[in-house]
Amino acid sequence: MDYLYSLQLLREGAPDILNVILLGISEFVTLGGIFIASLIYWCMDKRYGAFILASFSGGYMLNQVFKNSACVFRPWISDPRITVAEAAASGATGYSFPSGHALSATAIYGGTAVYGKRHRGLVAAMVILIILTAFARNWLGAHTFEDVAFAIMEGICVLMINLYLMKLIARRDAAEGRETGLGRTRLILIVLGIIFVAGSMIYLVNKDYPLDVDANGQLLADPYEMLTDCFTGAGMFLGFLLGWAFEKTFVNFRVEGNKKQLAVRFLGGFLSLAVIYLAVLPFLLSSLDEHTEHIIKYFVVFFYATGLYPLIIKLVQDRRRA
């Protein structure tokens, strides 16, 4: 905590622009991550795009299992000297250990580095973004050093596992002469993923949580609120898994086209996904409880990015060929 307190003293005396920049770096991965992964998936390399989306959504779900098992309070709860930066407070949801932002940064930027491993400049930039995101969470008072360090290691492990699985699927497809379709290996992995989500949620919803209170008798961490991000993770990973299955079974779009076509494709996907996420779903789900809203919202976002928008791409491709 002394490390965080020292950073806090620096933060309080730092120029506002520095705090704004670090906050932007910290928060960008939350929404920007899916657009980076989708750009690769829709327009550059479908296989690596799916690898990054799987690492992002699956890693986030795994991170919630760790968070709600350890039940470590946020730094400002554990140490009265620590205050979280006001602008970062709304994004500091759930328990503290491990950091969801650092995990997401490792999955997204690390996955992008794996995709562009031949380009040293890109790899260096992605590593710097991971480090900056982790440091920003410390600087803003949202996480301890242990929180972000463990999350980065967790993210690396997720990437290594998914990279192995991606190569395994490629070998099986080659052995079977498969160019399209779901295949038995993908089906097994999807079923295992669904079982992982279901088992995790049963455990997380039914386990005991600390009910510590402050001097006024208020809960330091409301178990209901601590579970919200778990429903987010469940929606994300289920949306990816079923969207991936849908795309491989019924769509099988190709990453092809000239620069103008690819730019229009990404812009169309970016804008439609933004409208769905920022306007349509909040309006349609506003009457639901927070847990139900989150699992539906993030399921739809990931299913759309992985399965439905590729269907639109395929329809456009078929029409262009006709």
Side-chain angles (χ1 to χ4, degrees):
M1 288 299 179
D2 290 339
Y3 164 66
L4 284 194
Y5 186 61
S6 298
L7 288 181
Q8 180 177 302
L9 295 176
L10 292 173
R11 184 182 81 224
E12 291 171 348
D16 288 341
I17 187 63
L18 177 60
N19 296 327
V20 170
I21 290 172
L22 287 174
L23 178 65
I25 292 171
S26 166
E27 295 301 325
F28 175 76
V29 72
T30 304
L31 297 179
I34 188 172
F35 291 107
I36 293 174
S38 296
L39 168 63
I40 295 173
Y41 182 65
W42 297 332
C43 305
M44 301 169 74
D45 190 307
K46 193 165 84 169
R47 190 165 67 109
Y48 272 97
F51 157 69
I52 298 172
L53 284 166
S55 300
F56 182 27
S57 58
Y60 193 93
M61 184 70 238
L62 177 63
N63 198 60
Q64 296 311 310
V65 175
F66 283 127
K67 269 182 180 282
N68 284 46
S69 295
C71 295
V72 176
F73 292 138
R74 289 283 177 169
W76 62 88
I77 296 176
S78 301
D79 190 328
R81 297 178 301 166
I82 307 301
T83 57
V84 63
E86 185 177 352
S90 61
T93 56
Y95 289 108
S96 190
F97 175 87
S99 166
H101 285 75
L103 177 280
S104 298
T106 306
I108 294 295
Y109 303 139
T112 304
V114 172
Y115 167 63
K117 57 184 177 294
R118 296 179 181 177
H119 304 282
R120 293 182 180 180
L122 176 64
V123 173
M126 293 301 103
V127 171
I128 290 171
L129 280 173
I130 294 170
I131 295 171
L132 282 176
T133 302
F135 175 73
R137 300 311 289 169
N138 294 155
W139 177 268
L140 297 167
H143 284 288
T144 66
F145 176 80
E146 292 79 8
D147 294 344
V148 298
F150 184 90
I152 290 173
M153 291 188 291
E154 176 192 4
I156 291 172
C157 290
V158 169
L159 287 171
M160 290 175 63
I161 291 169
N162 281 335
L163 186 61
Y164 168 78
L165 293 176
M166 181 183 73
K167 292 179 177 180
L168 174 64
I169 290 171
R171 290 198 300 270
R172 295 289 175 85
D173 284 347
E176 297 171 7
R178 179 185 303 280
E179 295 185 2
T180 61
L182 187 61
R184 195 167 90 175
T185 304
R186 286 187 188 84
L187 178 60
I188 291 172
L189 292 174
I190 288 167
V191 171
L192 290 175
I194 293 171
I195 292 172
F196 165 66
V197 173
S200 296
M201 291 306 296
I202 291 171
Y203 159 69
L204 293 169
V205 169
N206 290 285
K207 72 177 290 291
D208 293 328
Y209 288 88
L211 299 174
D212 302 48
V213 296
D214 60 19
N216 298 317
Q218 298 295 317
L219 283 170
L220 295 177
D222 185 341
Y224 181 87
E225 294 179 1
M226 298 301 102
L227 277 166
T228 300
D229 285 346
C230 300
F231 283 86
T232 298
M236 288 169 61
F237 198 32
L238 287 175
F240 165 76
L241 290 169
L242 296 182
W244 188 41
F246 176 82
E247 194 283 325
K248 297 304 296 184
T249 304
F250 302 108
V251 181
N252 290 298
F253 81 100
R254 293 183 179 275
V255 178
E256 59 184 26
N258 56 43
K259 292 182 179 180
K260 180 180 178 180
Q261 290 169 344
L262 293 176
V264 170
R265 178 186 305 173
F266 176 67
L267 184 62
F270 177 90
L271 292 176
S272 59
L273 192 57
V275 169
I276 289 170
Y277 180 81
L278 297 173
V280 176
L281 291 176
F283 174 75
L284 293 177
L285 305 177
S286 60
S287 62
L288 299 177
D289 66 273
E290 193 173 25
H291 289 175
T292 306
E293 176 193 357
H294 274 242
I295 194 169
I296 293 175
K297 180 179 182 179
Y298 287 94
F299 175 86
V300 171
V301 166
F302 273 76
F303 188 86
Y304 178 81
T306 313
L308 290 184
Y309 189 64
L311 176 60
I312 296 173
I313 295 172
K314 179 67 181 307
L315 293 174
V316 171
Q317 289 175 334
D318 290 347
R319 183 176 179 180
R320 189 176 291 123
R321 292 193 191 96

